[in-house]
Amino acid sequence: MLVLATGAGYLALDAADAVPGFVTSSPLPVEPAPFLTADAVVASPPGRVAVRGVTDSPALPAAAHVQELAEAVRADTRTGDSTNVSVVDLLTGEVLGDVSASDPQVPASSTKLLTSVSAVADLGADYRMTTSVAWDASSRTFTLVAGGDMLLAADEGHGGDGSDANGWAGLGDLAAAVMEAVPALAEGAVTVAVDDTPFEADPVNPDWPEYALTSGYIAPASGLAVDAARMTDAHYAPRYDDPSVAAGETFAARLSERGVSVDGEVTHAPAAGNVVASVQGAPLSEVAALTLYESDNTIAEITSLVHAMETGRPTTVEGAAAATKAGLQELGVDVSGLELFDGAGFSENNRIAPAQLTATLVGGYATPATADLLDWLPVGALEGTVVNRYVDTAAAGQMRAKTGSLTGVSALAGVVQTAEGRWLAFAAMADGMEYNPSGPRQAFDEMVVALAECGCEG
């Protein structure tokens, strides 16, 4: 009986995964979708610690030592020959570590760094996307016209009092403005339409994998949406198939709440009549911060298309790529070999070199419109997609970076402060890896920690 009782007790512990064994009460493991970064996205805190006082007074690390660290990443068995690294001084751009740094690779989500910095540098930190409403009295039709803001609030926007760019402006604000602008609303029913023709590209980029949409990682980039077209409050919630129509239905509901009779279904139609109301979303710098902090694929994609639109280019994949490249060139980035097929980084046809990522950080930091870009990146061990990395290391709180992950691809690009106080820009990229990206990430992180610990004066 004692033996049986002991055996039964062990099996109970085994089922709870408290001791080794083959019995388990846990659900069977499900292979994760390949694009998700390793760590969960956490909510953006209302007040983040900003990088200030970056100067050239701290000693520059010895290039030979930094080169050794970069080469160690390539030589690491967790990475391989397809791993390339760039480390430069943030202020001067001086190269400290270069392992095939000019060779383009599949960048995954690190693409968002180029998309965001280029757009803000071109359009300005205070640029704001405008959503408007046209009124056609003859047909009694209100038409919501897309201007790129896919972070609209379902009701009133917070106008900058919230934690980030999401919900800055709202459809409730538009409905209230319409009520003041159109006095004849009590005379009869109205219809609601949406016009997202300013965005020519297929809202579903043909380079995106199917799982990106079915898993809620991205929404069709229509240029008009509430909360990036999420159907629930979850970050990776299911998305509406037609974000514009879903936004139109929400707008119709806000009108109905104000006593307006709305007939029929919301449809797509070119805007007719006169613009009677409009709202502006968050400043583009705030949009960029949300994009990089949360690695928001939908907002990165629409940002690249808005960039094309506002610089007189077609709102297509090709136009967006041309706009991003032109903006980067203005920052001093050599775009040789740079290939872009989306703004979010889902396309496996994208090609970005590590040196282009570090040059973007250097050029962006030196440019007034994007001078705060370091503050757009989540802080290691504290925030965003690096919240669970660098914990209890010298890099905790001392590095900020954009992650990237696809099947067989791992990337990390950002900045780190050395023990001497010098800020370095770095990028490490590996493709052709096995499915599990934890190995390359660990190798990248060890390099970043070593740079943070570096008191290695030149």
Side-chain angles (χ1 to χ4, degrees):
M1 291 180 63
L2 179 61
V3 170
L4 288 174
T6 302
Y10 189 90
L11 287 174
L13 290 171
D14 182 12
D17 295 333
V19 297
F22 59 89
V23 180
T24 182
S25 59
S26 300
L28 291 174
V30 177
E31 186 176 33
F35 189 77
L36 276 174
T37 47
D39 302 308
V41 176
V42 297
S44 176
R48 299 178 58 198
V49 178
V51 173
R52 293 290 181 265
V54 178
T55 70
D56 60 1
S57 56
L60 195 66
H65 179 72
V66 176
Q67 182 66 23
E68 287 179 5
L69 295 176
E71 291 176 355
V73 176
R74 162 75 71 81
D76 197 304
T77 56
R78 294 169 295 182
T79 60
D81 292 341
S82 64
T83 300
N84 299 333
V85 181
S86 173
V87 183
V88 304
D89 181 49
L90 178 63
L91 289 179
T92 66
E94 180 178 340
V95 176
L96 301 173
D98 184 327
V99 178
S100 303
S102 297
D103 290 351
Q105 293 180 255
V106 182
S109 199
S110 63
T111 304
K112 295 181 179 70
L113 182 64
L114 272 60
T115 300
S116 299
V117 173
S118 178
V120 177
D122 250 4
L123 305 183
D126 295 327
Y127 169 84
R128 298 167 71 182
M129 301 176 198
T130 301
T131 306
S132 58
V133 178
W135 167 246
D136 181 27
S138 62
S139 64
R140 295 189 63 79
T141 299
F142 284 114
T143 305
L144 268 177
V145 183
D149 192 354
M150 296 189 68
L151 293 171
L152 290 163
D155 203 333
E156 295 180 353
H158 60 68
D161 291 334
S163 61
D164 58 30
N166 198 3
W168 196 285
L171 294 177
D173 302 322
L174 269 178
V178 160
M179 296 296 293
E180 292 186 10
V182 183
L185 294 182
E187 296 177 1
V190 303
T191 58
V192 173
V194 293
D195 180 2
D196 53 20
T197 55
F199 298 93
E200 307 162 57
D202 185 338
V204 178
N205 189 311
D207 261 35
W208 293 345
E210 180 64 24
Y211 73 78
L213 294 154
T214 59
S215 299
Y217 298 163
I218 198 166
S222 69
L224 175 63
V226 171
D227 188 23
R230 294 180 179 89
M231 299 175 72
T232 72
D233 291 336
H235 186 75
Y236 293 115
R239 311 294 178 118
Y240 289 103
D241 292 335
D242 192 331
S244 297
V245 166
E249 291 170 346
T250 301
F251 178 63
R254 297 293 84 80
L255 291 175
S256 296
E257 291 167 358
R258 289 164 170 80
V260 179
S261 176
V262 181
D263 276 352
E265 296 182 353
V266 175
T267 59
H268 286 269
N274 301 314
V275 172
V276 293
S278 63
V279 292
Q280 291 188 315
L284 193 57
S285 58
E286 295 290 335
V287 174
L290 179 147
T291 301
L292 298 177
Y293 189 93
E294 298 189 356
S295 198
D296 195 301
N297 301 300
T298 306
I299 305 309
E301 188 70 10
I302 200 62
T303 294
S304 70
L305 293 170
V306 168
H307 189 184
M309 177 176 69
E310 295 292 2
T311 53
R313 296 178 172 87
T315 50
T316 60
V317 170
E318 295 78 13
T324 298
K325 289 181 182 179
L328 293 173
Q329 284 181 303
E330 289 296 315
L331 294 174
V333 179
D334 181 356
V335 298
S336 302
L338 177 63
E339 297 183 32
L340 298 173
F341 292 83
D342 75 345
F346 269 119
S347 175
E348 293 185 353
N349 293 314
N350 287 347
R351 294 293 183 271
I352 299 174
Q356 290 167 336
L357 289 167
T358 54
T360 298
L361 289 162
V362 171
Y365 185 74
T367 300
T370 51
D372 290 334
L373 79 90
L374 303 188
D375 301 334
W376 308 342
L377 297 168
V379 181
L382 296 175
E383 300 173 332
T385 55
V386 290
V387 66
N388 293 324
R389 295 166 72 167
Y390 309 101
V391 176
D392 295 328
T393 73
Q398 299 301 110
M399 67 82 66
R400 297 163 185 248
K402 180 71 201 77
T403 55
S405 181
L406 285 170
T407 302
V409 176
S410 189
L412 186 70
V415 295
V416 61
Q417 189 175 32
T418 69
E420 296 291 334
R422 192 83 178 201
W423 283 91
L424 309 179
F426 65 85
M429 307 172 72
D431 56 17
M433 301 293 98
E434 60 185 31
Y435 180 86
N436 187 351
S438 61
R441 286 190 186 129
Q442 291 168 3
F444 296 168
D445 290 352
E446 288 170 11
M447 180 191 74
V448 173
V449 171
L451 290 172
E453 293 173 338
C454 185
C456 41
E457 298 182 25

